[in-house]
Amino acid sequence: MTFYHPNLRSLRDAAATGCDMCQLCWTSIQQNNSVEAVDAVLAGKCPESQGGQALHDERVWLTGFFQDNFRGRGTPGPGKAATDQGSRVEVSCGNKDDPESTISEPALRGELAVFADPGSPAASRFLERYITADRNPEGHIEFARALLDVCKKNHPECGLVDTDAMPEMPTRVLDVGTSPSQLRLELARERGLREPYLALSYCWGQGVRYATELKDENIRSLLESVDETALAATQRECIAIARQLGIRYVWIDSLCIIQGNLADWECESKGMAQVYGNATLTVIAARSADSRLGFVTNKLEQAAPPCALPFGRKDENGRDMGDIFLCLPRSVNGGPLNARGWCFQEGVLSRRKLIFETQRIYFSCQRSERWEDGKLNESDRLRAQLFQSLPDNSTAGSKKLERERLRTQMLELWYKKILFNYTQRQLTNPYDIFAAISSIAQLAKKIIGSRYLAGVWEGDMVRGLLWHTWFSFGAKTKRNLGPIISPLISIEPRRPTDWNGKTVVRAPSWSWASIQGQVHERSTPRNKAQYQDPTNFLIRPKPKPNQHAGGPQDDEGSEAHTWTALDSPHCDADVLNMTVCELHFLGRPKHARLLQIDSNTSLANLLLSWPVGHPLCRQGRRLAGQGYMAILEPAESEYAELGKHGLFPFEDTSVTDTPSIAASPASTFAVACFDIAAERVGVTDCWFLPLLREIWEGLLLYKDPSDGKFRRLGIVAAVKKQFLPWVVSGPEEEVHLV
């Protein structure tokens, strides 16, 4: 810790006179603290949040956290990556105690990042770089080349699944040659080529069509030559990266999939696991929302420019290390591509990725993720889990146990990581909802061993039906779809729309794909066994007496009961369009109606006093105000069954003077949440389909009087305990859910 200025006023004034270092420190303090807190310290007081008393110490201090002496030390273990937060300098100011003799928190904090310029003496000790249009503009090549080389030599887990084979190439690739005049299309698979290639993941841009696209009518000419000057900037920059890295072949969708040819698109879309999985490197143009604008150039302009700092050390040969540089920390914003649906799958399937974020680039492989500013994290290993397989030397008994372990793990991965991240993203074509995740689903199916019905695994049907919108449980504020999406930012769910804003149906009502918005599955380590125990289920597939050879089978090869009305619905992991799939099973739907309450405020208050603890009730006030919530009471058709359990007539008359005893709060039995707020309007009659005996959750349904089939409206939870005998009672009946 080094003394820098006697007080914050001195720092501010020095910044105003043009001192580069002071400008950095002053800007960092302003960016990391509230205006009120800064004003308080300028006045010699603690911020109100810390008591507002006079400061004991007003000095400004600098504390360096340099990683150069620690990198490469320690052994994180085989296949493990060390973590690294990058070198930094902390700026602190103001303290109610003496900072030199106590450990009390400073009133204000700021932070500066550290970097070294390539080729400088300090660059051998500091990995941190600053790659922008004005400084080290070609640094992405040095960065990528160094990390790609390390990964190839030292990370066996980043190789192909079959490490003895050269990668199978896509149907078509671009041969980039060594100059723009040599670019041409190559029929790689037809020629039997097996060479390293680079793949591009990018956003075309709203309404963009390219001057040069692969089409049936120009495939012959593109095999001869491709005019590189006619390509979009993002495509040209990707090709340039390949040449600079010494990779001869490149895969770009618009130039390697025949545009306007549906059969070719369907065939190639199903093979994305191979296209991206076998690529030596995937370049992800995350910072660009329009391919015409390019992505390589980082046009970062910070509030204060970088500043040189004499390092004051010598290297192992006794030479002066020269200067390092300080700058404001760069944004962690990933960029517009993080909001695109197709790009999620492309990123997950890739072995290695060079990712151009809004203000930084980073290299990601199956072991680690390294940013240009020095930060290092362990990889989430999602791809490795998708490509798992049973060991060849397992016994029959151990194989069965291992298969079940992998199946359980994959289902957890599907709900908690894959769907949670995928459904927060957007698709230009709403009907691509299954196509854009098809390759991941195909890999998951090999492990789960179940039919894939419009996004729901038949072997885990009950849990699959109990998805809910993340907005219902995780939202803090109402947000519209924006260019950058984070799992911490909830998006208000809606029905998907086409280019003209017209609502479209792209999946059955019971599928998570029927809505646009982030979905979540709410099981926890404490209760997830109840979602997997068949004895806890209140629905079951209808036995089919005419099961015959060739019908659906489970993963042990025996005939399996099916949940679908048709033995062979047009649904599977490699089916790209699943707008229709009717479920047919046995259950005990309960006729209900929505309690009519004068205002959303009254509804919110009733939810807060609900006798059953549940997240829906805790979120009740906010959700009620936005029109999602409802409280259910039994319909009159259920009174006779309720009477058998001593639950009717309802006797509570303390809350209402209405002559209808059925309208009393004593008649209410559960809380419901609509998937789409607008669909609650005008609904009075509904059905509750209980799914779980112990957790007391189920679906909120609408019954179409024209055909008797049910459609999902939302979920039901927080059933009052006294109503449970009625909920699980009565004969089973056939349920058709569409």
Side-chain angles (χ1 to χ4, degrees):
M1 189 166 71
T2 302
F3 167 75
Y4 187 51
H5 268 277
N7 52 53
L8 191 60
R9 298 179 297 279
S10 172
L11 176 66
R12 177 198 60 191
D13 295 343
T17 63
C19 172
D20 290 344
M21 183 66 182
C22 297
Q23 283 183 354
L24 272 177
C25 295
W26 170 241
T27 303
S28 178
I29 288 289
Q30 289 180 300
Q31 290 183 346
N32 284 274
N33 301 276
S34 68
V35 173
E36 293 77 14
V38 172
D39 287 344
V41 174
L42 284 171
K45 297 180 180 180
C46 291
E48 286 297 324
S49 61
Q50 298 180 22
Q53 68 270 37
L55 290 168
H56 175 83
D57 181 85
E58 292 192 63
R59 288 174 291 179
V60 178
W61 299 87
L62 302 181
T63 306
F65 299 89
F66 298 112
Q67 298 294 325
D68 62 304
N69 282 333
F70 303 100
R71 288 183 175 126
R73 296 188 179 183
T75 53
K80 297 289 185 179
T83 58
D84 186 343
Q85 293 307 305
S87 298
R88 68 189 194 281
V89 172
E90 182 182 280
V91 185
S92 59
C93 177
N95 206 304
K96 61 183 179 181
D97 298 309
D98 183 357
E100 294 183 279
S101 59
T102 68
I103 56 173
S104 60
E105 286 293 306
L108 304 175
R109 284 185 188 274
E111 185 176 295
L112 302 175
V114 174
F115 70 90
D117 279 335
S120 67
S124 63
R125 294 279 293 273
F126 288 89
L127 301 178
E128 295 85 353
R129 297 292 182 265
Y130 191 83
I131 303 172
T132 68
D134 300 323
R135 193 180 200 114
N136 193 21
E138 296 298 317
H140 60 285
I141 297 299
E142 176 202 29
F143 179 80
R145 183 181 289 118
L147 291 171
L148 184 60
D149 186 55
V150 168
C151 180
K152 286 180 176 180
K153 291 179 179 177
N154 301 319
H155 300 173
E157 66 269 36
C158 299
L160 297 169
V161 176
D162 181 0
T163 56
D164 294 328
M166 289 294 290
E168 180 180 2
M169 298 183 75
T171 306
R172 309 171 193 94
V173 292
L174 294 170
D175 184 344
V176 303
T178 58
S179 67
S181 63
Q182 297 177 337
L183 183 66
R184 65 184 184 86
L185 185 68
E186 179 68 81
L187 303 179
R189 196 168 294 173
E190 182 179 301
R191 287 194 55 202
L193 289 178
R194 288 181 176 267
E195 299 288 343
Y197 66 94
L198 184 150
L200 174 64
S201 176
Y202 68 118
C203 181
W204 285 33
Q206 188 67 36
V208 169
R209 298 305 309 186
Y210 298 122
T212 302
E213 295 178 349
L214 178 61
K215 297 180 180 179
D216 286 307
E217 57 267 28
N218 69 356
I219 188 168
R220 288 184 178 274
S221 65
L222 296 187
L223 287 170
E224 295 294 328
S225 176
V226 176
D227 181 3
E228 191 166 330
T229 63
L231 303 183
T234 288
Q235 297 170 336
R236 296 197 307 270
E237 290 175 352
C238 175
I239 290 168
I241 289 173
R243 290 192 183 112
Q244 289 170 297
L245 293 177
I247 298 174
R248 180 174 174 178
Y249 299 99
V250 171
W251 187 91
I252 299 175
D253 58 358
S254 66
L255 296 164
C256 298
I257 299 175
I258 302 175
Q259 304 301 299
N261 184 322
L262 181 60
D264 192 66
W265 178 83
E266 289 184 347
C267 178
E268 295 299 316
S269 295
K270 294 175 184 179
M272 291 298 102
Q274 287 72 41
V275 169
Y276 286 95
N278 288 350
T280 297
L281 179 69
T282 297
V283 171
I284 299 182
R287 65 172 57 138
S288 176
D290 191 324
S291 58
R292 294 169 295 188
L293 303 178
F295 67 95
V296 166
T297 302
N298 183 356
K299 300 177 182 178
L300 173 64
E301 293 184 3
Q302 294 187 307
C307 174
L309 179 70
F311 190 46
R313 292 187 192 173
K314 297 184 183 298
D315 64 16
E316 56 273 13
N317 297 318
R319 294 176 299 184
D320 194 314
M321 294 289 290
D323 292 340
I324 57 173
F325 294 86
L326 302 181
C327 65
L328 295 171
R330 280 149 284 179
S331 170
V332 299
N333 193 327
L337 211 68
N338 284 0
R340 307 309 305 171
W342 277 99
C343 299
F344 170 73
Q345 175 174 256
E346 293 163 5
V348 168
L349 296 173
S350 299
R351 289 185 289 155
R352 305 181 188 95
K353 296 169 281 190
L354 180 62
I355 303 168
F356 290 76
E357 294 186 314
T358 302
Q359 295 187 1
R360 306 178 298 176
I361 62 172
Y362 78 95
F363 181 91
S364 172
C365 67
Q366 300 309 296
R367 182 176 296 188
S368 61
E369 299 174 333
R370 169 72 77 177
W371 277 261
E372 69 173 87
D373 60 8
K375 292 182 175 61
L376 175 69
N377 292 332
E378 188 173 352
S379 169
D380 65 7
R381 302 176 189 271
L382 178 53
R383 180 185 184 275
Q385 294 177 79
L386 283 168
F387 280 92
Q388 289 181 99
S389 59
L390 291 171
D392 294 333
N393 58 354
S394 301
T395 64
S398 63
K399 274 189 176 181
K400 185 173 183 179
L401 291 174
E402 180 65 6
R403 182 184 294 113
E404 184 56 32
R405 186 191 70 80
L406 291 176
R407 176 183 179 276
T408 301
Q409 182 188 73
M410 182 56 65
L411 285 169
E412 190 78 1
L413 195 69
W414 179 262
Y415 296 121
K416 303 299 187 185
K417 283 192 175 181
I418 295 172
L419 283 191
F420 186 71
N421 285 288
Y422 176 61
T423 54
Q424 65 176 304
R425 295 168 178 250
Q426 303 171 59
L427 293 162
T428 302
N429 181 355
Y431 293 106
D432 284 349
I433 187 68
F434 297 118
I437 201 175
S438 173
S439 289
I440 290 179
Q442 291 175 61
L443 292 170
K445 181 181 176 178
K446 292 179 180 179
I447 297 174
I448 294 172
S450 164
R451 289 201 299 177
Y452 179 71
L453 305 175
V456 174
W457 299 103
E458 186 172 37
D460 197 39
M461 180 60 71
V462 172
R463 184 162 51 157
L465 290 174
L466 280 172
W467 58 267
H468 61 75
T469 65
W470 179 240
F471 187 81
S472 303
F473 285 83
K476 298 297 184 294
T477 57
K478 182 175 177 180
R479 292 288 297 264
N480 293 322
L481 289 171
I484 312 301
I485 299 180
S486 160
L488 301 178
I489 299 175
S490 287
I491 302 165
E492 187 169 14
R494 56 178 174 82
R495 295 297 174 195
T497 56
D498 62 14
W499 301 273
N500 299 316
K502 182 180 177 181
T503 301
V504 300
V505 176
R506 64 184 183 187
S509 70
W510 46 265
S511 168
W512 52 264
S514 65
I515 70 162
Q516 172 65 54
Q518 194 169 19
V519 301
H520 182 53
E521 184 274 328
R522 208 178 59 83
S523 66
T524 65
R526 181 179 297 178
N527 66 18
K528 68 179 180 181
Q530 296 171 340
Y531 287 82
Q532 300 166 354
D533 181 5
T535 63
N536 192 38
F537 299 165
L538 294 174
I539 60 172
R540 62 187 178 94
K542 186 176 183 295
K544 297 188 177 182
N546 296 324
Q547 288 281 0
H548 54 81
Q553 296 185 333
D554 62 20
D555 58 8
E556 297 295 327
S558 59
E559 294 291 338
H561 294 305
T562 64
W563 290 83
T564 54
L566 298 175
D567 285 346
S568 300
H570 187 59
C571 288
D572 210 341
D574 62 354
V575 175
L576 307 184
N577 192 307
M578 294 181 274
T579 56
V580 177
C581 182
E582 181 178 328
L583 299 184
H584 184 201
F585 53 87
L586 298 176
R588 296 179 176 85
K590 303 299 180 184
H591 198 185
R593 63 188 182 191
L594 271 59
L595 180 68
Q596 301 303 304
I597 299 177
D598 292 340
S599 69
N600 284 332
T601 300
S602 300
L603 174 59
N605 291 334
L606 189 55
L607 287 168
L608 291 176
S609 62
W610 195 254
V612 181
H614 195 277
L616 271 180
C617 301
R618 292 194 293 271
Q619 295 280 352
R621 183 179 295 275
R622 175 185 58 79
L623 291 169
Q626 294 176 2
Y628 286 90
M629 301 303 299
I631 292 179
L632 303 184
E633 58 181 358
E636 291 184 9
S637 59
E638 299 288 345
Y639 289 174
E641 187 67 27
L642 286 163
K644 295 178 183 179
H645 300 281
L647 297 170
F648 187 83
F650 311 119
E651 298 179 352
D652 181 7
T653 58
S654 61
V655 180
T656 179
D657 296 327
T658 177
S660 171
I661 57 175
S664 165
S667 68
T668 59
F669 72 90
V671 174
C673 181
F674 282 75
D675 294 331
I676 311 294
E679 295 178 1
R680 183 186 185 279
V681 178
V683 174
T684 56
D685 191 68
C686 59
W687 292 78
F688 166 42
L689 179 65
L691 300 187
L692 291 171
R693 188 185 306 273
E694 293 297 328
I695 302 179
W696 319 320
E697 291 184 353
L699 300 182
L700 180 68
L701 304 175
Y702 163 76
K703 189 174 186 179
D704 191 330
S706 65
D707 57 16
K709 296 179 180 180
F710 292 96
R711 289 168 175 78
R712 171 173 166 142
L713 293 173
I715 58 172
V716 177
V719 178
K720 290 180 179 177
K721 290 184 179 181
Q722 63 266 34
F723 283 88
L724 292 179
W726 164 66
V727 167
V728 301
S729 69
E732 290 181 315
E733 60 182 87
E734 294 186 21
V735 176
H736 293 263
L737 187 58
V738 295

